Structures are given as structure tokens and as C-alpha cells.
Amino acid sequence: APLMALTAVAVRLDTPGPVVYAQERVGEHGRTFMVYKFRSMRTDAEVGTPIWARDQDERVTRVGRIIRLTRLDEIPQLWNVLRGDMSFVGPRPERPFFIEQLAEAIPFYRQRHAVKPGVTGWAQVKYRYGASIDDAREKLRYDLYYIKHMSIIFDLTIVFDTIKVILSQKGAQ
């Protein structure tokens, strides 16, 4: 709770706008839900067609860079876990706009919706941040592997790997 409060204050002091934002994502069995995150981008970051975040994205705020590197922006997703929309470990939920594109371009893409999405996942700890169809194709391989081999031991491995990724500050956009 103190870490969440400090993050909220930092976001509020850095730029005007809401501290937490909600964005529609696709979850288990293709059901949509609202995912919650600390806001790390300007409020005008996306007007019109959604775009993937990219390396050195100019839309990211000063505090946003820090909370993305440390993954503090993800903490509000624990509310999604408590609500039952997400699990702690699983394939990352994606936006409906991108799901349609990716499902057309990548065979079996919708298979990742066989399980609840996660705050962290095998693809997140083993592959870089994805910002293209080719990246999504590679991450899908990790997601399908996770779904096939789901277990408590595998989930614990992913949690420990997630901690290592956070401490090394690798992979954030």
C-alpha cells in the first residue's frame, strides 16, 4: 500500500490527468474486461487508431519511465486478479484492436485465450517487449508452451524470473 501511494503521488505531481487508467483488454474465452494500470503516458498519448508502445516512446512521462522500468505501473492489475479477470501468471492480455490483427496474421493466436491472462507470464520473462506482428508470433509460442505445461512449479518459476527481470530493469518500453 505505501508503494502504491507513493507511485500515485508521483504520477499526480508529474503530469495532469488521472493517476490510474482503464483500458479494454481481451481475457479468458475472448471475454473483454477493463485492465487497470498507473498512468505512464501523457493523457493525449493515443488519439484515434491504437499503436504499440515503442523503444524511447516520446508519449511516456518522466515518472512513467521509472514506473515502467520497475513495473510499478502494473500494480493496479492486482485489482483485476481479485476480481477474477486475470491470474497472477498467464499470457498478457491484449487490446481487442490488436487481437483482430494478430488473429488474422498468426494461426492459433486466439488459443492463448484458453486461460486467464496474467499480470506476468512466460513470454514476458523470456522475450523482449513486443511491438510487431513478428514479436507477437514469437510470444505466442511462449504463451502456448505455458498453457500446455501449466503447473504451480512453473508458475513459481515465472514469478522468480519476473523478480529477476524487474531487478535488472530489462524489457520495459
Side-chain angles (χ1 to χ4, degrees):
L3 196 54
M4 287 182 73
L6 287 172
T7 303
V9 168
V11 170
R12 169 67 70 205
L13 292 174
D14 188 40
T15 57
V19 169
V20 174
Y21 80 97
Q23 191 176 65
E24 187 177 37
R25 299 290 175 102
V26 177
E28 186 177 30
H29 305 302
R31 187 178 66 82
T32 60
F33 67 98
M34 299 305 285
V35 71
Y36 299 96
K37 296 176 97 175
F38 281 119
R39 185 175 54 81
S40 61
M41 290 189 175
R42 301 184 320 253
T43 55
D44 67 344
E46 198 170 81
V47 179
T49 304
I51 56 174
W52 273 313
R54 52 196 175 275
D55 196 27
Q56 301 300 315
D57 201 320
E58 66 281 349
R59 300 172 300 161
V60 177
T61 65
R62 289 174 300 180
V63 167
R65 289 198 198 296
I66 296 166
I67 65 175
R68 282 173 167 235
L69 275 174
T70 58
R71 304 306 200 277
L72 292 173
D73 62 323
E74 309 284 353
I75 292 175
Q77 289 176 47
L78 296 177
W79 176 247
N80 291 108
V81 173
L82 291 174
R83 287 179 38 123
D85 296 325
M86 294 175 68
S87 293
F88 194 70
V89 177
R92 290 290 297 154
E94 188 53 84
R95 297 165 68 182
F97 176 84
F98 295 123
I99 293 291
E100 293 307 316
Q101 289 180 339
L102 297 170
E104 269 188 44
I106 304 170
F108 307 109
Y109 189 80
R110 291 186 195 274
Q111 294 299 317
R112 63 195 306 277
H113 299 130
V115 298
K116 285 185 183 181
V119 176
T120 187
W122 189 234
Q124 280 59 52
V125 298
K126 294 298 177 188
Y127 193 75
R128 67 179 182 271
Y129 185 89
S132 70
I133 290 175
D134 287 336
D135 288 338
R137 184 176 288 112
E138 188 61 29
K139 288 185 111 172
L140 177 63
R141 292 177 196 193
Y142 287 98
D143 290 338
L144 295 178
Y145 181 89
Y146 170 76
I147 291 167
K148 185 176 180 179
H149 300 282
M150 284 175 58
S151 70
I152 296 293
I153 298 298
F154 195 15
D155 283 2
L156 289 173
T157 300
I158 293 168
V159 169
F160 287 122
D161 284 351
T162 300
I163 292 167
K164 288 191 281 188
V165 167
I166 291 170
L167 293 176
S168 69
Q169 298 183 347
K170 290 181 182 175
Q173 289 289 343

